[in-house]
Amino acid sequence: MKKILSLVLVLVMVFSLAACGNNQPPAEPETPETPETPETPETPEEPGIADSITLHVGAYPDTIDPALNSAVDGATYIIHAFAGLVGYQQKEDGGLELYADLAKELPVGKERDDGMVEYVYELKDGLKWSDGSDLTAQDFVYAWNRAANPLTAADYGYMFEVVDGYAAMTEMDEEENLVNPDAKLNVTASDDGKTLTVVLPVDVPYFNELVAFPTYMPVKEEVAEGNDAWATAADTYIGNGPYKVVEFSQSQLIMQKNEYYHDADSILTNELVFAFNDDDTSTLANFQNGSYLFIDQVPNDEIKALQEDYPDEFFIEGQLGTYYVSYNVNDEAFSAFGEADKAKIRKALGLMIDRTYIVEEIGQAGQVEANSFVPIGLTEPDGKTEFVTNNGPNGDGAGYYSVNPDDYEKNTEEAIALLREAADSSGLFSVDENGMVSSEFPTLAYLTNEGTGHEAIAINLQATYAQYGINMTIEKQEWSTFLNTRKNGDYSVARNGWLGDYNDPISFLDMWITTSGNNDSQFGKGEHANYAGYTYKGESGKTWAESYDKIISEVKASKDPEERFALMHEAENILMETGAICPIYYYTDIFMSSTELEGAFASPLGYKYFMYSTVAE
Amino acid sequence: MDSKLALYIVKRLTLAVVTIFLIITITFFVMHQVPGGPFLSEKAPSPAVTAALEAKYGLDKPKSEQYTTYLKGILKGDFGPSIKQRGRDVTTVIMKGFEVSMRLGGTAAVIALTLGLILGSLAAIFHNSIIDKIIMVVTTGLVAMPSFIVATLLLLFFCVWLGIFPANGNEPGGLILPIISLSLYPMSYTTRLTRSSMLDVLSQDYIRTARAKGVKPSKVLFKHALRNAVTPVVTYAGPMIAYIVTGSLVVEKIFAVPGLGKEFVSSIINRDYTMIMGTTIFLGTLIIIMMLVSDILYKVFDPRIELG
């Protein structure tokens, strides 16, 4: 009897403790006009589906502030807690398309009398934040200016580059002070808060796509202004998306259905739990024992086995990105060579690579051998034809070399021929009848960060080049040091990778202009600035600034989509002509999704959409 | 004696302050010498953004000025904001992580020390028997096995094959396996320490005398022998507890426990300067305190020891 009594007592205590946990004092009311957040009526549970789903898309995120986030997992959380003017939805065939989310319809850019282009978004009626307050066009004005302002220091602030006013906002004087600290984007809200007008200096065909990007989500001024910590706690993290955050701890992010979402009826599952986990063995174990119904990472060496063991749950999706090797065009080791010879040598080195072997034996994740820098998945102006079907020097989609395993022999012969040309014209080394270079050929120094895959690829390249008598050393650096060395151009050859931000090739080509912070190959800098061997619209004898940089600025100013894409193909031709960018493969996105989980989908940017997903009970 | 002890503690605390000051100074300047910085990423932010960030965190100022500003902040108990985890401050991140690691590591330390002392004593008492041999084989194996292997094996066995424990710390019962993985190594080590020092003590003359005088065997063991045998364990336990309660990267990763361990590593990888300083000072202080505690405990266990 005593025992039972004490057990009851313990249970009562436990429950009262648990109850205390739930009744944590609500934070100060965010807005005076909002009444003490009315407990939204508990949604009547949908019959036959699970109330809560646990998923994994990443580790504890550094931030889930829509402006500051630049990570793929962070973007996934944000698209559940926020909704933009434009969103993505899944088509019947499984592909994705843009649709007007908070906007009534997708606008097209209209040219004004002054030549500027205007996008007018009409907001749907009755839009609300997750705390029940009204959401207006002014909220977008605030959020966009906040994200674009350099003082906010958002990695993705440059996503507003295409909007009028951005250039003035970010202009700096020589002392790195902002010239116009009060400048604003040319974005205005109508007095009734129903209409948002955005002005662009020139039209960009992908503007609606940008507007669907997490950085373009609205942010509530009352919670965010002057409070750096607003996005770190559930009570201040006010969104307007299909879900609202109810718990944000170091181990999980819990979201529940947002009753105030304008399309709340389409949201069926009451609760999504995003578990944070950065260990691939652990995520796999959690998937295998049923804790997580979706995992976004698996151990690399298990990929093959998992594909066989879980044919219906293992997914490989295309992702906008290219894994490549970048050469420093100002590499000291090759300083005795002329740029033309250097380009030949680099191209030869690129042709020697057995990409099929790398993809099948090292990558093992369904990656696609790359024959161009701009990857598959990007489309021409018609929105259907792939950009890559028109790539290559002849514009026939053959790429810049063949990656067909049958052509490998031919590639190596071409590589040797190129090396001979460089040897003859430079006189600095020789190539014997077997295609072996003489000992005068400089040693390559390959820089990589730590990581099994990266190191395996480095070793593969080393072995490949050794067959031609070319010595390559491998230097491994820790991540941050590696980034620093590569960015500063203190290397000779380095592994590299790029993931696109939106479906437009400019996202891949813009990074190689002289002034870009991502111009790891140092094009147009140092010695390379003086080399005039490039062609601009048929005129040869141009420097990097006169050819590549000029074409990219024309792309950005172009109003004719056909011309724009022709220019981008031309830019890629110049880029690939240098041989300094040596693509290896196009990235893929691997994840596992339980057969129980229905209605989830992924975008080519790697974002995962769970708002329409359900699990049958 | 009490005043002597007090003087000793004051002396040690003064020394501790000096040590921590040295830790701060060395870490601060060495950390800034390491190439790379907190704002680097595969996609470089624009120069305007980088400049704004540097200004925001005072990284554009000369190192000496940054150093004095930081010291002043610490005196006020302000460890600054995390540079990488935007909107979070170092103290909050450390305290949140420590709460979890403390619970986990504290339990593991208690288990490790208790079991270690018991098993070690058993092994010593039944020296060369089958019990001793089993204990020695098992503990030798566990000392030799790195924690990532132990944790992975536990995960595979109990979570995937048997499915009796959850594979992450979020679920009820999810902390059991992490606690076991954390405690195995220190438990084995303590067992071995206890056994050898117990064997040493048991062969001493005064034990034989006590036995000859007819003192109860249990009293001989616990009052006379264990008390003297425990000194090396105390030496080991101080720093061990400091390390174990500040979290283990491996165990936290494998069982998805949001502890402090991973902050140490990720802060360095990210060059999150304020977080590197915060975690280093925190761990440094904790170790110094634990060492002081174990030194004082010597005195309690063995009054012959002269402190100072």
Side-chain angles (χ1 to χ4, degrees), chain A residues 152 282 286 486 499 501 518, chain B residues 42-44 86 168 254 271:
Chain A
T152 309
S282 171
N286 275 291
R486 199 176 64 183
L499 290 172
D501 295 326
N518 293 303
Chain B
E42 190 97 68
K43 290 185 177 169
R86 303 277 296 272
N168 65 79
I254 292 182
R271 305 286 190 274

Side-chain angles (χ1 to χ4, degrees), chain A residues 13 64 136 143 153 188 250 267 310 312 390 399 401 424 428 460:
Chain A
M13 273 166 65
I64 53 170
T136 69
T188 43
Q250 277 158 297
I267 310 304
Y310 297 87
D312 301 326
N390 294 325
Y401 44 80
D424 293 345
L428 292 167
N460 175 268

